Amino acid sequence: MIFLPSSHNKQSEKVEEAGYLASASDLMIGLLFVFIIMVVMLSQRVDSIQRGESVNDPLASAVLIIGQKFKEAGLNVVIDPQSGVIGLPADALFGFNSAVLNDNSTQTLKKARESLIKILPCYVHSERAARPLDCPPNDEEAEIETIFIEGHTDSKPLQQGNYTNWHLGLDRARAVYEVLTEGKPQSYQNERKLDVFGISSYADKRVVKSFGLEDAEKSRRVELRFILAFKPDSKKGKAAREALDAASTPTAPTMPAATPTPSSNAIQAPNSKPILSK
């Protein structure tokens, strides 16, 4: 007896394969729509700030505005308003394992510096007297305490003697610092009369992961981390101070519970049990 392959099984396999491809296609289309929605929402948020509408988070407001200025200068930045970080992909700025800016990125960073000179005085204490009239809304009167220019690398060790990822991250941060702060920005100071700009290196200690695995390309980056100064006279500062005052205000003293007095036939000795008199 000879068994011939069933055409029904082949048809079933084709149907299952077509269904799988359709599901994958639907998933990709869905992710694309989510990405488009996120981009539109971010753009609308920046537009609302520029139109003067209120934003609850002063850090997010400042970072969105500054990040948009970077984009207008031609920098391909990643803006994270919640953490106050603007990221620059290192591969677009430097050669492989190099801390020397290429010609194109140097010119782009110079354009970004011109944008910073226009927008940062709106948030820097030392520039209060020279603030532009067209500064974005700043209901909380937020001021920038520090801008850290941080160098990050992937986790692949460098094979250059004692020169490690720590050195590479720091040198790349310094290279960006020297271009972005050349001239006027180097004089920006916070309320404590300390320089606003500084540099640091995280090497491969903060790599970017996708689906649990390191994304080496995204890990190689230079980030600008913005830290705002606490303003006790702002709305949030006053609310925090009032809450602290309320918590530290002593409550009305309570009367201690009445203690029984010893009877006439008992003598209370210090730190001892009552001794009954005979």
Side-chain angles (χ1 to χ4, degrees):
M1 183 178 293
I2 299 175
F3 293 95
L4 296 176
S6 173
S7 60
H8 175 72
N9 292 337
K10 291 183 178 180
Q11 292 176 355
S12 298
E13 291 177 359
K14 290 182 179 179
V15 171
E16 290 178 359
E17 183 178 358
Y20 170 78
L21 292 175
S23 299
S25 176
D26 291 342
L27 178 60
M28 294 301 296
I29 293 174
L31 292 174
L32 179 61
F33 274 114
V34 170
F35 176 76
I36 293 174
I37 291 173
M38 291 177 63
V39 171
V40 171
M41 291 178 63
L42 179 62
S43 176
Q44 290 177 345
R45 192 171 187 186
V46 173
D47 290 342
S48 67
I49 295 172
Q50 293 176 335
R51 289 195 303 266
E53 297 177 10
S54 175
V55 174
N56 293 330
D57 188 347
L59 175 61
S61 173
V63 170
L64 282 168
I65 290 294
I66 296 171
Q68 186 63 28
K69 297 296 183 182
F70 277 150
K71 286 188 173 182
E72 293 172 1
L75 279 174
N76 182 24
V77 298
V78 178
I79 307 172
D80 186 353
Q82 301 303 321
S83 60
V85 171
I86 298 175
L88 294 75
D91 289 357
L93 302 174
F94 307 94
F96 184 69
N97 284 351
S98 171
V100 179
L101 290 165
N102 57 55
D103 293 338
N104 183 55
S105 61
T106 300
Q107 296 303 317
T108 304
L109 286 174
K110 287 181 178 180
K111 292 180 181 179
R113 181 185 64 217
E114 297 305 315
S115 299
L116 284 180
I117 292 174
K118 295 178 181 178
I119 188 63
L120 277 187
C122 297
Y123 301 99
V124 175
H125 182 81
S126 61
E127 303 301 303
R128 296 187 70 173
R131 283 182 180 171
L133 298 177
D134 58 347
C135 281
N138 189 3
D139 294 339
E140 294 291 335
E141 297 182 359
E143 290 183 352
I144 294 175
E145 169 75 13
T146 305
I147 302 175
F148 284 119
I149 301 179
E150 304 171 346
H152 299 262
T153 71
D154 58 31
S155 60
K156 185 178 180 180
L158 282 178
Q159 304 297 326
Q160 298 182 11
N162 294 327
Y163 192 81
T164 67
N165 282 331
W166 289 102
H167 301 92
L168 178 61
L170 190 64
D171 287 346
R172 285 181 168 179
R174 182 189 300 146
V176 174
Y177 166 87
E178 289 176 350
V179 178
L180 281 184
T181 65
E182 183 181 0
K184 182 63 176 176
Q186 284 192 1
S187 66
Y188 292 163
Q189 293 186 328
N190 57 30
E191 191 172 5
R192 297 183 295 153
K193 300 187 183 305
L194 301 176
D195 288 354
V196 167
F197 282 96
I199 63 173
S200 62
S201 173
Y202 280 99
D204 56 354
K205 299 304 180 182
R206 294 189 177 186
V207 298
V208 177
K209 293 186 177 181
S210 299
F211 302 104
L213 300 175
E214 177 188 354
D215 189 324
E217 183 178 353
K218 292 182 179 179
S219 296
R220 298 189 294 268
R221 66 200 189 277
V222 175
E223 292 184 338
L224 276 70
R225 185 176 301 275
F226 294 79
I227 300 175
L228 295 188
F230 174 71
K231 304 295 292 183
D233 294 332
S234 67
K235 295 177 182 178
K236 290 184 179 180
K238 289 179 180 178
R241 185 173 57 191
E242 290 173 358
L244 183 62
D245 291 342
S248 60
T249 301
T251 57
T254 57
M255 296 298 293
T259 55
T261 57
S263 60
S264 58
N265 62 343
I267 301 174
Q268 182 70 46
N271 302 324
S272 65
K273 298 180 179 179
I275 302 175
L276 297 179
S277 60
K278 296 182 180 178

